[in-house]
Amino acid sequence: MNILKKGTHSAKTRQKIAWRSAVALVVLLMAGSLDSEAQTNGSNSPYSRYGFGLLSDQAQGFNKGMAGLSYGMRDGKQLNMKNPASYSAIDSLTFIFDVGFSLQNANLEQSGQKVNAHNTSYDYVSLGFRLAPRFGLSMGLMPYSTIGYETTHSYEMADDDDITQTDSYSGDGGVHKVYAGLGWSPFKFAAIGANVGYMWGDMTNTVLASFSESTIASRRRQYLADIRTYSLDFGIQFMADIDKNNSFVLGLTYGLGHDIGSKGVYYDQKLGSSTTTGDTISVSKAYALPHSFGVGLTWQYKKSLRVGVDYNFQKWSDVKAPTLVETTSGVDYVSQVGQFTDMHKVTVGAEYVKDPDGLRWRDRVRYRVGFSYTSPYILVDGQKGPRDYLVSAGVSLPIINMYNNRSMLNISAQYERVKPQVAGMISEHYLRLCIGLTFNERWFSKWKVE
């Protein structure tokens, strides 16, 4: 009589399956991203006009509800892209596929005027599996920054009250990042890891001055960049069991800052009824990425409660970017520092689950809360940009099937307040719903007949 019995593939076979699946998924992800690259990805903020635009928090479904808490997070059932040392915790039978997106409502306010906007955005796609004992791999795709806004300002010309000038500001684009990372735990108490990434994207900012008098030619100034560069991030985690109920994880990260070889281009054009004239100025090696440092500490009580705090520092004050400067012969477009300020971010978060191995479904539901504060990296007309405050809450719901219950549906709600430091600037309020699916399946197991 044949008996169905669950077994496993050999290590060599598991790795072949994993690599083929990984390559296929990354190809699909990059193909999909090329189609979405030219579209606005979840932004209506005029502050995305500056620098690289709005920077992504790079949080995932499991930590969106904890405001992005990550550096000390270590769990073999979740992928933590922000500290690659955590990949070493992935177990031998697991193939993790994680995808997330967000829905948000934005309220922008200035001088008593309000504007509402709705957006959707993809947040990340990632996968991970174990290559060898205490040695894991992850790949994925996410936005690094987003640009998307349209604003207008009309006023009467100083030398002629009968003519109205309208300045229209618009921007679109952003930078994407695809990465591959390894995590290794050479000792029981320590793990190291690294992510190597490729970043690309187009950034377009346009200022159009038009006039109520049709005989006056419109003026269009446009700032373009085509970003192509690499990224390199490192992570370390130290694990300590204080007793049978209490444990700590200390996480450290470093992101390599470097110059970007891409050039910036400035167009200054007059738009006539039938002709376009103007100047074009370009500058090579126009941009750079900042050095970044992160540290986080997480405390876990039994398997039920986890509380942590993160601090992130990004050295934007040393980063160069192109800008217009006055010269004796007119204007020039040059790349220089002094257009940004250092960014600081503090995050606190907590997660509670009654019994992760409980027989009842409700005992395995995870509840999360978090808060973060971020100082600006941009300067607006020489003044520091707005501060950012975010509070979040979320749940992680087990997805049950007959073979395992490790896959999760992560749902989080966030409220974000973008508060200017200078009177007259735009205030922004965001309500955001984040949804993430973590498929954590035993893809490397099979049923065999004996």
Side-chain angles (χ1 to χ4, degrees):
M1 183 176 67
N2 291 336
I3 300 175
L4 286 176
K5 182 178 179 180
K6 194 174 184 181
T8 60
H9 293 292
S10 68
K12 186 175 181 180
T13 302
R14 291 200 304 269
Q15 291 180 12
K16 286 183 178 179
I17 295 172
W19 275 112
R20 290 171 182 171
S21 301
V23 171
L25 285 169
V26 170
V27 169
L28 288 173
L29 298 181
M30 292 192 68
S33 72
L34 293 175
D35 192 42
S36 65
E37 185 173 352
Q39 302 175 10
T40 298
N41 181 30
S43 173
N44 290 97
S45 173
Y47 295 117
S48 67
R49 173 186 175 188
Y50 303 94
F52 285 86
L54 302 183
L55 301 181
S56 168
D57 63 1
Q58 299 185 27
Q60 298 168 262
F62 83 95
N63 60 0
K64 285 280 190 182
M66 295 182 284
L69 184 75
S70 58
Y71 300 133
M73 298 295 287
R74 182 177 177 83
D75 187 341
K77 298 180 177 63
Q78 303 281 355
L79 288 175
N80 179 10
M81 298 183 292
K82 294 177 73 173
N83 192 334
S86 64
Y87 305 154
S88 61
I90 301 174
D91 69 52
S92 61
L93 300 179
T94 295
F95 191 104
I96 302 174
F97 180 73
D98 201 358
V99 60
F101 63 94
S102 295
L103 312 171
Q104 75 174 22
N105 178 75
N107 180 274
L108 284 63
E109 182 177 359
Q110 184 181 35
S111 303
Q113 296 183 339
K114 296 182 179 180
V115 175
N116 287 311
H118 306 280
N119 296 103
T120 62
S121 65
Y122 84 92
D123 294 329
Y124 64 92
V125 186
S126 61
L127 58 88
F129 52 88
R130 195 183 80 160
L131 294 173
R134 298 182 297 179
F135 190 42
L137 177 146
S138 177
M139 297 180 180
L141 171 72
M142 73 199 77
Y144 174 79
S145 67
T146 302
I147 299 173
Y149 63 91
E150 290 184 3
T151 63
T152 59
H153 176 58
S154 298
Y155 52 91
E156 294 179 346
M157 296 184 63
D159 54 352
D160 193 335
D161 294 341
D162 294 330
I163 299 178
T164 299
Q165 177 175 337
T166 300
D167 293 335
S168 300
Y169 301 85
S170 62
D172 189 60
V175 179
H176 305 268
K177 179 166 74 172
V178 61
Y179 78 93
L182 297 172
W184 177 46
S185 180
F187 309 103
K188 184 179 180 180
F189 62 87
I192 58 176
N195 285 331
V196 178
Y198 176 70
M199 301 173 62
W200 79 100
D202 298 321
M203 302 190 299
T204 303
N205 292 283
T206 303
V207 183
L208 177 64
S210 56
F211 304 89
S212 57
E213 174 56 60
S214 60
T215 59
I216 303 177
S218 298
R219 181 189 182 191
R220 180 172 63 194
R221 290 163 289 166
Q222 198 165 52
Y223 307 81
L224 302 177
D226 182 12
I227 302 297
R228 298 289 187 274
T229 191
Y230 68 92
S231 66
L232 189 57
D233 302 281
F234 303 93
I236 301 175
Q237 289 183 329
F238 298 98
M239 297 77 75
D241 294 328
I242 306 304
D243 54 40
K244 66 177 183 179
N245 292 328
N246 296 276
S247 62
F248 289 89
V249 177
L250 173 66
L252 304 171
T253 64
Y254 168 68
L256 178 67
H258 60 87
D259 289 343
I260 298 175
S262 304
K263 69 178 182 179
V265 181
Y266 169 67
Y267 296 97
D268 189 353
Q269 301 170 321
K270 286 187 177 180
L271 309 179
S273 57
S274 58
T275 60
T276 298
T277 61
D279 298 321
T280 300
I281 311 173
S282 64
V283 54
S284 61
K285 298 181 179 179
Y287 296 88
L289 291 175
H291 296 283
S292 64
F293 306 86
V295 58
L297 181 65
T298 301
W299 163 65
Q300 183 167 317
Y301 176 71
K302 295 184 177 180
K303 293 183 178 181
S304 295
L305 178 64
R306 186 158 43 178
V307 180
V309 58
D310 283 352
Y311 169 69
N312 178 242
F313 171 72
Q314 298 184 17
K315 190 64 176 174
W316 283 95
S317 61
D318 292 341
V319 169
K320 64 181 182 179
T323 185
L324 291 174
V325 296
E326 297 286 342
T327 66
T328 55
S329 59
V331 297
D332 197 6
Y333 199 46
V334 300
S335 182
Q336 62 184 25
V337 300
Q339 302 181 67
F340 305 115
T341 183
D342 293 336
M343 192 186 86
H344 305 264
K345 182 174 182 178
V346 178
T347 304
V348 293
E351 176 187 70
Y352 172 77
V353 55
K354 185 175 181 180
D355 184 358
D357 302 315
L359 296 178
R360 294 179 297 183
W361 180 87
R362 65 176 180 268
D363 291 342
R364 298 192 299 276
V365 175
R366 296 176 180 269
Y367 303 90
R368 297 160 177 153
V369 294
F371 168 81
S372 70
Y373 161 78
T374 309
S375 68
Y377 84 97
I378 62 171
L379 297 176
V380 180
D381 298 328
Q383 302 290 328
K384 288 188 176 182
R387 298 186 177 104
D388 186 282
Y389 303 85
L390 183 143
V391 293
S392 62
V395 295
S396 184
L397 307 176
I399 300 174
I400 305 298
N401 62 40
M402 64 181 296
Y403 303 111
N404 74 77
N405 55 18
R406 301 187 300 174
S407 297
M408 308 293 288
L409 171 63
N410 299 295
I411 303 174
S412 303
Q414 297 180 339
Y415 168 71
E416 183 178 3
R417 170 78 185 279
V418 180
K419 184 178 181 181
Q421 303 185 58
V422 178
M425 288 188 179
I426 297 173
S427 296
E428 299 178 348
H429 304 262
Y430 295 93
L431 287 174
R432 190 175 297 115
L433 178 66
C434 307
I435 300 174
L437 286 170
T438 302
F439 298 98
N440 188 331
E441 302 294 335
R442 292 182 178 271
W443 284 15
F444 302 145
S445 296
K446 69 175 184 179
W447 293 93
K448 61 185 180 180
V449 179
E450 292 184 352

